[in-house]
């Protein structure tokens, strides 16, 4: 069973130097919760039937003082939105899975070198940096801890880094009986086929740019009802959205991507309603670097999740 429950978060940072760990006080805000009954695909279908679009927070929704792939950042994101959380799973030198996006530690931590060069004990001693390079008080979490934390709170979208074996991630998911609260990210039909073979009940977000892409995935043995279709980041394609939705494939569209992304365009122009326009074209999930802003725009247009809808609530 999938469940979104709130978690206490932390307040914004006070001023500190570039190398001084930022400290956060507990917040009192109550976050979103979601506790759908039944299969994860049924949850997405329920929201689609109600005209609701979800946001997926890229790397968990980092911001000033809140680094990517940190549990404290996840909690902060869930205060603003009933969001899916996209995370990146890397592997330490001793085989322990932990959250890290880059192939090296330099950009996002106080460490340096390859992500698989240090042991998990050494990685646990590092501090995470936010997007501006500021050192925070937060540590790189183990995947097992993040998965345990997510139970009853959110759905994790798992991006596998080059150091990480699918089998190791699946083994931890099986150990925690978490198959109904994760989505795998695949970039090719072959990847989707392997992931489905390892974990047949887990949903997979797969790049789908055409009907032919979907046909290939289904022919490879991945059922349409186990798929979310990631349709790119360049421009929404309502015709493709319609094709996928008619075949029980929820549509994911990305506004993320850093410089020149749709997120950046919206931030620069102030056209926040653009998120709702994309939803109106048929996007079921918007993957974004601005989850709070996207959720606010969806709410303003009547396309955001509301308490009591398909198991969504607050408290």
């Amino acid at each position: 069973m999938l469940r979104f429950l709130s978690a206490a978060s932390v307040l914004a940072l006070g001023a500190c130097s570039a190398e001084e760990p930022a400290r956060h006080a507990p917040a009192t805000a109550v976050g979103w919760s979601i506790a759908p009954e039944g299969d994860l695909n049924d949850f997405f279908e329920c929201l689609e039937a109600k005209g609701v679009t979800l946001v997926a927070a890229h790397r968990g929704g980092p911001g000033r003082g809140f680094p990517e792939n940190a549990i404290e950042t996840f909690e902060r994101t869930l205060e603003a939105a009933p969001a899916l959380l996209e995370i990146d799973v890397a592997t330490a030198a001793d085989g322990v899975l932990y959250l890290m996006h880059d192939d090296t530690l330099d950009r996002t931590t106080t460490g340096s070198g390859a992500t698989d060069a240090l042991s998990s004990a050494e990685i646990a001693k590092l501090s995470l940096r936010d997007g501006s390079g500021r050192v925070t008080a937060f540590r790189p979490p183990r995947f097992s801890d993040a998965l345990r934390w997510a139970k009853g709170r959110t759905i994790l979208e798992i991006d596998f880094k080059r150091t990480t074996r699918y089998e190791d991630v699946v083994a931890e998911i099986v150990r925690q009986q978490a198959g109904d609260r994760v989505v795998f990210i695949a970039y090719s039909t072959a990847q989707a086929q392997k992931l489905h073979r390892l974990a047949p009940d887990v949903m997979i977000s797969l790049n789908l740019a055409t009907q032919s892409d979907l046909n290939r995935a289904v022919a490879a043995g991945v059922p349409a009802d186990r798929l979310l279709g990631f349709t790119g980041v360049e421009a929404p394609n309502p015709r493709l959205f319609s094709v996928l939705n008619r075949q029980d494939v929820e549509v994911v569209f990305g506004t993320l991507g850093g410089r020149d992304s749709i997120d950046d365009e919206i931030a620069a122009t102030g056209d926040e309603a653009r998120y709702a326009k994309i939803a109106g074209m048929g996007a079921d999930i918007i993957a974004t670097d601005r989850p709070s802003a996207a959720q606010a725009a969806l709410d303003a247009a009547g396309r955001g999740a509301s308490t009591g809808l398909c198991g969504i609530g607050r408290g």
Side-chain angles (χ1 to χ4, degrees):
M1 182 186 298
L2 303 171
R3 296 183 188 275
F4 280 108
L5 293 178
S6 64
S9 184
V10 286
L11 296 173
L13 287 170
C16 64
S17 70
E19 294 301 325
E20 180 184 4
R23 301 294 174 180
H24 300 261
T28 56
V30 176
W32 283 92
S33 64
I34 187 166
E37 298 291 338
D39 183 74
L40 184 53
N41 186 62
D42 293 339
F43 164 67
F44 290 126
E45 289 291 322
C46 177
L47 293 178
E48 181 182 357
K50 301 295 185 180
V52 168
T53 296
L54 289 179
V55 298
H58 188 218
R59 303 182 197 176
R64 178 176 170 80
F66 290 88
E68 60 188 57
N69 282 303
I71 289 176
E72 295 83 359
T73 300
F74 302 163
E75 292 176 337
R76 175 176 177 264
T77 297
L78 291 183
E79 289 175 6
L84 282 66
L85 301 178
E86 187 263 350
I87 63 171
D88 303 282
V89 181
T91 305
D94 54 1
V96 173
L97 303 175
Y98 71 105
L99 305 194
M100 187 63 54
H101 176 270
D102 296 359
D103 291 334
T104 63
L105 299 165
D106 303 62
R107 179 181 65 87
T108 59
T109 80
T110 52
S112 62
T115 56
D116 58 350
L118 299 182
S119 69
S120 56
E122 292 171 312
I123 289 167
K125 297 176 183 177
L126 302 177
S127 294
L128 290 170
R129 297 179 183 271
D130 70 9
S132 298
R134 292 160 55 90
V135 178
T136 73
F138 310 138
R139 309 290 186 182
R142 291 189 177 195
F143 172 62
S144 59
D145 291 337
L147 190 62
R148 189 175 300 108
W149 168 88
K151 184 177 182 179
R153 291 184 173 95
T154 190
I155 299 163
L156 298 179
E157 292 187 288
I158 299 172
D159 197 353
F160 298 82
K161 309 317 290 182
R162 66 171 185 81
T163 58
T164 301
R165 298 172 67 248
Y166 293 167
E167 292 84 352
D168 295 338
V169 173
V170 170
E172 183 60 30
I173 289 169
V174 170
R175 190 179 72 81
Q176 295 197 29
Q177 299 182 330
D180 59 351
R181 47 191 168 91
V182 297
V183 173
F184 293 146
I185 294 176
Y187 297 95
S188 70
T189 298
Q191 290 175 342
Q193 184 181 40
K194 181 175 181 178
L195 286 167
H196 181 67
R197 184 172 65 251
L198 290 170
D201 294 330
V202 175
M203 296 197 70
I204 299 170
S205 175
L206 174 64
N207 290 353
L208 297 177
T210 65
Q211 171 75 64
S212 296
D213 290 340
L214 175 59
N215 293 345
R216 278 191 291 273
V218 172
V222 186
D225 68 358
R226 292 298 93 194
L227 290 172
L228 304 175
F230 189 86
T231 59
V233 299
E234 297 297 330
N237 184 341
R239 183 175 180 180
L240 175 62
F241 295 176
S242 179
V243 167
L244 296 178
N245 275 318
R246 285 200 304 268
Q247 297 179 72
D248 199 25
V249 177
E250 281 68 42
V251 170
V252 185
F253 179 76
T255 57
L256 48 82
R259 185 175 299 178
D260 299 327
S261 68
I262 293 176
D263 277 336
D264 275 10
E265 292 175 4
I266 292 173
T269 62
D271 184 18
E272 303 291 338
R274 190 170 174 187
Y275 291 113
K277 293 175 184 176
I278 293 169
M281 295 176 189
D284 301 302
I285 300 167
I286 296 177
T288 176
D289 288 316
R290 305 177 72 229
S292 297
Q295 185 65 45
L298 293 171
D299 290 343
R303 291 188 171 274
S306 58
T307 301
L309 188 67
C310 304
I312 294 174
R314 291 182 70 89

